[in-house]
């Protein structure tokens, strides 16, 4: 029974796929330029914003058609098993129309083994889980409000989720292999999504920013949502720093694969404008 519980726990660890579809994600809520520079009809501006999202993960994850496993992981739990991760937003805007692309990639691996004596013979069960996830969001933007101290953009587009889980399990007795099992499960899907984001300048240096998004609508996920709020500091004309908090949820199920989770945690980003 202890071995069984260990394997179930390891399967639950595959839920670390987000920081996805972790990872899970959309535009980090950072404007490409200060609000006072967003004048309709002006030339295009471009920005690149690498960021960190210290998100935990909770919800239900199911693989291979089995009953979903309830998970509750802190960002520290996920970070301990992180092999590679990257998050970046790029945006182009001309003061009226814009395009924003957000990409998150995470690769996580976890290993676990249990050894117990049975009839005097040491029996070992070892398992490893590797999860890779890619979340890419692309949205068109229309600037509905453009004032010297405030902007509001309406957004519509799509969010692509892709998750792959590789599991290897081996059983041995007295050092001799008895059985081995390996398999892969995951899914790729696309959700339509709409939203609104805005920025208000408090003074020439400080501003507040945020967004709200909703999507899925049964096209792939039953529903997905994404909210963010933060405070920014305009360091100079080309560099801005933003800190805030983000929460993202998704409810997806297809062919025995279940991903019904909420990810949330602090965000820290740097926006470089060109």
């Amino acid at each position: 029974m202890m071995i069984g519980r260990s394997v179930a726990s390891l399967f639950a660890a595959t839920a670390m796929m987000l920081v996805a579809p972790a990872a899970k994600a959309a535009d980090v809520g950072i404007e490409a330029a200060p609000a006072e520079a967003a004048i309709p009809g002006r030339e295009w501006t471009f920005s690149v914003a690498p960021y960190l999202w210290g998100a935990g993960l909770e919800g239900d994850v199911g693989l291979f058609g089995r009953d979903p496993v309830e998970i509750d992981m802190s960002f520290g739990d996920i970070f301990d098993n992180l092999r590679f991760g990257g998050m970046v937003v790029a945006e182009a805007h001309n003061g009226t129309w814009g395009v924003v692309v957000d990409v998150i990639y995470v690769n996580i691996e976890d290993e676990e083994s249990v050894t117990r004596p049975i009839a005097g013979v040491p029996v070992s069960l070892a398992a490893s889980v590797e999860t890779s996830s890619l979340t890419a969001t692309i949205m068109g933007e229309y600037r509905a409000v453009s004032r010297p101290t405030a902007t509001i953009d309406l957004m519509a587009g799509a969010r692509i989720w892709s998750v792959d889980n590789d599991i290897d399990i081996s059983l041995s007795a007295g050092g001799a292999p008895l059985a081995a099992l390996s398999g892969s499960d995951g899914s790729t899907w696309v959700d339509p999504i709409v939203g609104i984001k805005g920025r208000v300048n408090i003074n020439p240096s400080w501003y507040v920013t945020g967004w709200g998004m909703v999507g899925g609508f049964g096209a792939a996920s039953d529903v997905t949502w994404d909210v963010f709020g933060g405070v920014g500091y305009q360091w100079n004309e080309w560099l801005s720093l933003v800190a805030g908090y983000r929460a993202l949820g998704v409810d997806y199920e297809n062919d025995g694969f279940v991903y019904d989770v909420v990810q949330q945690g602090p965000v820290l980003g740097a926006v470089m404008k060109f």
Side-chain angles (χ1 to χ4, degrees), residues 159 161 187-192 215-224 250-254:
R159 177 173 293 169
W161 313 72
S187 187
T188 298
W189 68 98
V190 180
D191 285 328
F217 310 117
S221 302
D222 288 339
V223 65
T224 182
V250 63
D251 183 359
Y252 174 79
E253 181 176 356
N254 182 56

Side-chain angles (χ1 to χ4, degrees), residues 133-165:
S133 64
L134 173 67
T135 304
T137 305
I138 181 168
M139 302 188 78
E141 301 174 302
Y142 172 71
R143 182 141 295 173
V145 175
S146 181
R147 296 181 179 176
T149 59
T151 60
I152 296 177
D153 289 325
L154 305 180
M155 304 183 297
R159 177 173 293 169
I160 303 169
W161 313 72
S162 182
V163 182
D164 184 58
N165 304 281

Side-chain angles (χ1 to χ4, degrees), residues 77-274:
D77 296 331
I78 296 173
F79 186 79
D80 287 344
N81 297 284
L82 183 67
R83 294 181 61 188
F84 179 81
M87 307 173 188
V88 65
V89 158
E91 184 179 30
H93 212 291
N94 71 355
T96 300
W97 301 98
V99 177
V100 62
V101 177
D102 180 38
V103 178
I104 298 176
Y105 178 78
V106 176
N107 185 274
I108 298 169
E109 185 172 9
D110 190 22
E111 296 182 356
E112 190 172 328
S113 63
V114 177
T115 301
R116 295 289 185 273
I118 299 179
V121 178
V123 176
S124 299
L125 178 65
S128 67
V129 177
E130 181 177 356
T131 296
S132 61
S133 64
L134 173 67
T135 304
T137 305
I138 181 168
M139 302 188 78
E141 301 174 302
Y142 172 71
R143 182 141 295 173
V145 175
S146 181
R147 296 181 179 176
T149 59
T151 60
I152 296 177
D153 289 325
L154 305 180
M155 304 183 297
R159 177 173 293 169
I160 303 169
W161 313 72
S162 182
V163 182
D164 184 58
N165 304 281
D166 296 317
I167 298 177
D168 292 293
I169 302 174
S170 62
L171 180 66
S172 62
L178 297 178
L181 174 67
S182 63
S184 298
D185 193 17
S187 187
T188 298
W189 68 98
V190 180
D191 285 328
I193 191 166
V194 296
I196 183 172
K197 72 180 177 73
R199 166 173 169 157
V200 176
N201 287 351
I202 300 172
N203 57 43
S205 296
W206 293 94
Y207 62 91
V208 293
T209 183
W211 77 71
M213 304 178 197
V214 65
F217 310 117
S221 302
D222 288 339
V223 65
T224 182
W225 55 269
D226 190 350
V227 294
F228 167 81
V231 177
Y233 180 77
Q234 197 70 43
W235 189 269
N236 53 40
E237 183 179 355
W238 64 272
L239 178 63
S240 176
L241 305 177
V242 175
Y245 196 88
R246 180 180 184 179
L248 180 151
V250 63
D251 183 359
Y252 174 79
E253 181 176 356
N254 182 56
D255 196 24
F257 176 76
V258 177
Y259 191 65
D260 182 7
V261 300
V262 174
Q263 306 159 51
Q264 56 182 321
V267 173
L268 181 63
V271 189
M272 293 166 283
K273 188 189 73 171
F274 304 95

